[in-house]
Amino acid sequence: MRGPKASQIELTSRQRAELARIVRKANSKQVHVTRAKIILLADDGINNQEIAERLEGHRETVRKWRDRWANEAENLVSVETEADNKELGEYILRLLSDQARSGTPGKFTAEQICQIVAISCESPEEYDRPVTHWTPAELADESVKQGIVESISARHVGRFLKRC
């Protein structure tokens, strides 16, 4: 098969044992199990396409995790020489986990959220509201009126209150 040469994977016996433990462990996350299987099969010399077919996945996913493991090979060896099995296992799980995504920053600050929740703890009558209990819509309206936020939906206020 043509294409770029797959990254070479050469596992140590401790790395192989830890990956096998992740695969066998009943409460391992399935994404970790799949990624551990990719690395184990790659160490067996199997190409990306064959691994993808065996695991019913995509070749590019196999390439991504194979490359990521290969790029960490030196760090893995240094961790392995200095760490016990538990620390090595934790390092390998972090390596098999998704990297943090940047995402959109939060629209509201922690201070704004606290002020909205604080209002919800007070009586609506104190704010001249014609209701006996706060609703998310009333809180959203009062938050804008108090100048806490420029605008906010009732649904968003509801999410804040649900977390409390």
Side-chain angles (χ1 to χ4, degrees):
M1 179 170 286
R2 306 196 119 209
K5 184 170 171 45
S7 297
Q8 185 67 31
I9 303 293
E10 293 180 21
L11 298 174
T12 65
S13 58
R14 280 182 70 194
Q15 291 170 5
R16 181 169 267 285
E18 185 56 36
L19 289 166
R21 188 188 68 76
I22 291 168
V23 170
R24 284 190 318 270
K25 194 173 171 187
N27 63 348
S28 290
K29 292 181 179 180
Q30 286 306 298
V31 293
H32 292 154
V33 170
T34 301
R35 293 164 185 174
K37 286 179 180 179
I38 288 170
I39 303 307
L40 288 167
L41 291 170
D43 183 52
D44 291 338
I46 300 171
N47 69 39
N48 291 351
Q49 184 63 43
E50 177 65 24
I51 294 171
E53 289 171 6
R54 285 189 189 187
L55 299 179
E56 298 178 355
H58 195 275
R59 186 181 72 240
E60 288 302 310
T61 302
V62 174
R63 182 193 55 75
K64 171 186 173 181
W65 289 102
R66 187 177 193 142
D67 288 349
R68 188 161 169 193
W69 188 275
N71 291 336
E72 283 291 318
E74 286 182 34
N75 292 337
L76 271 163
V77 170
S78 67
V79 167
E80 190 172 356
T81 58
E82 299 172 10
D84 61 16
N85 286 344
K86 183 180 179 184
E87 292 171 322
L88 176 63
E90 290 169 354
Y91 186 85
I92 288 174
L93 277 178
R94 280 194 304 276
L95 181 58
L96 297 177
S97 296
D98 290 323
Q99 292 178 335
R101 298 180 184 185
S102 59
T104 304
K107 185 175 178 184
F108 304 103
T109 66
E111 184 179 343
Q112 290 171 316
I113 295 168
C114 287
Q115 288 174 336
I116 292 169
V117 172
I119 291 174
S120 74
C121 295
E122 298 175 10
S123 173
E125 288 94 21
E126 292 179 35
Y127 294 90
D128 296 325
R129 293 282 172 173
V131 293
T132 57
H133 294 78
W134 286 111
T135 64
E138 290 283 342
L139 275 170
D141 186 50
E142 188 61 35
S143 299
V144 172
K145 183 178 170 186
Q146 293 291 323
I148 297 170
V149 293
E150 219 173 277
S151 68
I152 188 167
S153 70
R155 180 68 189 112
H156 216 112
V157 170
R159 285 188 206 109
F160 294 154
L161 298 176
K162 193 173 188 177
R163 284 190 261 165
C164 293

